[in-house]
C-alpha cells in the first residue's frame, strides 16, 4: 500500500505527515483490535451460565482471531495490487 | 518501546489514544452485552434478575476475550 | 475507571490533557446519544403508516432507553473492577 | 453551564462538536430509514410512491425518538 | 441545514470554523462514499465464482447507489425542516 | 478544484484525509469479505482453499464496486 505523494512538501511538513501517519496507525490498530474482540466474541460466545470462558469458547476465539489475521493479510496483498495497478493507470493517462 | 525519551507532545498523544482505546472498548462491551443479554421487547425499564447476572457474566467473558485476542495479536506482531 | 498515569507531565500538559479528556467526553456522550436513538428506534419502530409515534412505540422507546442506561451503568461498574484488578496485577508484576 | 465566559477556542471546539453531532444524527437517520423503507432488490433507481411516503414518516418518527431519548438522558444526567 | 450560530466569533475564528467545516465535510463525504460501497456491495454481490462483477450485479450496484442518493437527498430536506422548526421554537421560547 | 495554490497546511490535511480514506476502505473490504467468505464455525485457524479463492474474488468485486459507486457519485456531484 503506497502512501500519498510526499513530494512538494517541505522537510518539516514531511515530518509532520510522518507523525500523523504514525498516530493514525496506532489509532487504527487499536480500532482493529477492538473490532476483532467484538467480532470473535459475538461469533464464539453465546452462553452466559458461567462467568469464565469454557475450553470450546476459548478455542473458537483463538481460531477466529488467527483466521481474521490471515484473512486481513491476504486482503492487504490484494489491496496493494489494486492500488498499484490504479496508480500505474493514472500515470499512463497523465503521460499521454 | 523506544529506549529514547519520547518528547512530551508525543506522550500526550499516546495518553489520549490510550483513553480513546478504553472508551471504545467500554462502548463495544456495552453494545455486545446488551445484544446478548437484554430482551428486545422492552416490557420493563428495569433489568430483571436474569438480565443482571447475564450482564455480569457477559462482561467477564468479554474481558477474557480481550486478553486472548491481545495475546495472539501481540505474538503475531512481534 | 481510572485514567492513564498523569505523573511525568508538566502542569501545562496536564491542563492540555484534561481539556482533551473533556472534549473526548463530550464527543463520546454525543455519540452514545446518537447510538441510543438509533438502537431504540430500530427495535421499537416498525410501522410507517403515520408520521407520529403511537403510544406503544413511545413507551417502547422510553423503556429501551431506561434499560440501556441501567445496563450501561452496570457494565461501567464491572469494567472499573476489571481495570482496577488488571492495574493491581501489573503493579505486582513490576514490583517483583 | 458555567457562568464564566468560556474562552474562544473552547467555544470553537463546542461549535465543531455541535456540527459533528448533527452530521452523525443525519447519517444515522439516513441509514435507519433506508433499512426500514427501501426494498433491497433495487429493481429501480428511483424511489417509488410507497418508499417516498415511508421515508417522510420514518424521518418524522426518528426525529421524535431523538426528542424522547434526549429528555430521558437529560433528566438522567441532571 | 443551518450551521451553528457564528455570531460572537472574531473574523479569524470564523475563518478557522469555516476551514473546520470544510475538513469535516470532506471527511464526511469520504465516509459516506465508503459506507455506500459497503452497503451496495453487501446487498448486491453474493456469488464468488468469478472475479468480475456480472451484468446483474453491476446494475444492482448502480440502482442501489442511485436509490441511496435520492433517499439521502429526501432525508436531507426533511432534516432541514425539522431543524428549522426546532430553531424557530427555541427562538419563540427565548423571546417570551 | 481551486485554481489558487492551496497553502501547505491545507495540503497536509488533504494528504491525511486521503490516507484516512484508504484505511477506511481497506477496513471495510476486510470486514465485508470476511462476512461473505469465512465460515463462522472457526474449526481451523487457517483459511482453506475455498476461502482463499473466495477472498481473492471478493476483494476484486469489492474494488470494482468502488469504481462504479465513485463514477456515479462523481457525475451526481458535478
Amino acid at each position: 500500500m503506497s502512501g500519498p505523494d510526499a513530494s512538494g512538501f517541505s522537510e518539516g511538513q514531511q515530518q509532520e505527515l510522518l507523525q500523523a501517519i504514525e498516530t493514525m496507525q496506532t489509532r487504527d490498530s487499536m480500532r482493529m483490535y477492538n473490532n476483532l474482540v467484538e467480532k470473535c466474541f459475538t461469533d464464539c460466545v453465546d452462553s452466559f451460565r458461567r462467568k469464565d470462558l469454557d475450553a470450546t469458547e476459548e478455542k473458537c476465539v483463538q481460531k477466529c482471531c488467527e483466521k481474521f489475521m490471515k484473512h486481513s493479510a491476504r486482503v492487504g496483498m490484494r489491496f496493494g495490487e489494486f492500488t498499484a495497478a490504479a496508480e500505474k493507470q493514472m500515470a499512463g493517462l497523465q503521460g499521454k | 518501546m523506544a529506549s529514547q525519551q519520547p518528547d512530551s507532545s508525543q506522550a500526550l498523544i499516546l495518553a489520549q489514544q490510550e483513553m480513546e482505546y478504553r472508551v471504545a472498548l467500554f462502548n463495544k462491551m456495552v453494545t455486545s452485552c446488551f445484544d446478548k443479554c437484554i430482551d428486545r421487547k422492552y416490557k420493563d425499564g428495569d433489568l430483571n434478575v436474569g438480565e443482571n447476572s447475564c450482564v455480569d457474566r457477559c462482561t467477564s467473558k468479554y474481558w477474557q476475550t480481550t486478553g486472548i485476542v491481545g495475546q495472539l495479536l501481540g505474538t503475531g506482531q512481534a
Side-chain angles (χ1 to χ4, degrees), chain A, chain B:
Chain A
M1 218 188 301
S2 74
D5 189 16
S7 59
F9 286 126
S10 74
E11 218 172 293
Q13 289 181 316
Q14 290 195 19
Q15 272 293 327
E16 210 181 311
L17 193 56
L18 281 176
Q19 189 159 352
I21 292 177
E22 211 177 297
T23 304
M24 217 178 63
Q25 280 174 337
T26 316
R27 176 172 293 138
D28 190 58
S29 63
M30 283 175 172
R31 212 169 276 172
M32 198 269 250
Y33 172 45
N34 261 328
N35 288 339
L36 188 49
V37 170
E38 188 188 32
K39 165 131 213 77
C40 295
F41 179 80
T42 302
D43 288 354
C44 293
V45 185
D46 244 330
S47 143
F48 299 99
R49 286 192 286 176
R50 301 199 184 151
K51 75 174 192 35
D52 293 310
L53 294 171
D54 64 34
T56 317
E57 291 167 331
E58 227 174 286
K59 251 183 212 163
C60 179
V61 168
Q62 279 166 354
K63 309 264 188 220
C64 169
C65 190
E66 280 173 39
K67 227 165 180 167
F68 187 90
M69 287 190 286
K70 281 167 191 164
H71 167 73
S72 186
R74 192 168 186 105
V75 175
M77 260 168 36
R78 296 294 157 261
F79 192 83
E81 289 166 12
F82 299 139
T83 310
E87 275 167 8
K88 214 169 160 183
Q89 206 188 356
M90 285 281 284
L93 286 175
Q94 287 178 339
K96 276 183 190 169
Chain B
M1 275 155 252
S3 56
Q4 235 188 324
Q5 166 103 5
D7 70 75
S8 54
S9 79
Q10 234 178 323
L12 262 178
I13 289 172
L14 277 176
Q16 253 179 280
Q17 288 185 329
E18 162 77 17
M19 278 187 296
E20 277 179 40
Y21 160 72
R22 283 191 197 194
V23 169
L25 170 60
F26 173 70
N27 286 338
K28 284 198 178 295
M29 197 187 264
V30 168
T31 319
S32 299
C33 291
F34 195 86
D35 287 345
K36 296 273 190 195
C37 294
I38 308 297
D39 183 19
R40 296 196 185 185
K41 281 174 200 145
Y42 307 120
K43 286 185 190 160
D44 195 4
D46 287 310
L47 303 175
N48 61 43
V49 184
E51 287 171 332
N52 265 331
S53 73
C54 179
V55 173
D56 290 349
R57 288 162 188 165
C58 180
T59 51
S60 167
K61 285 190 168 189
Y62 198 94
W63 186 262
Q64 286 169 22
T65 304
T66 305
I68 297 174
V69 174
Q71 246 175 336
L72 280 169
L73 282 184
T75 52
Q77 284 177 335

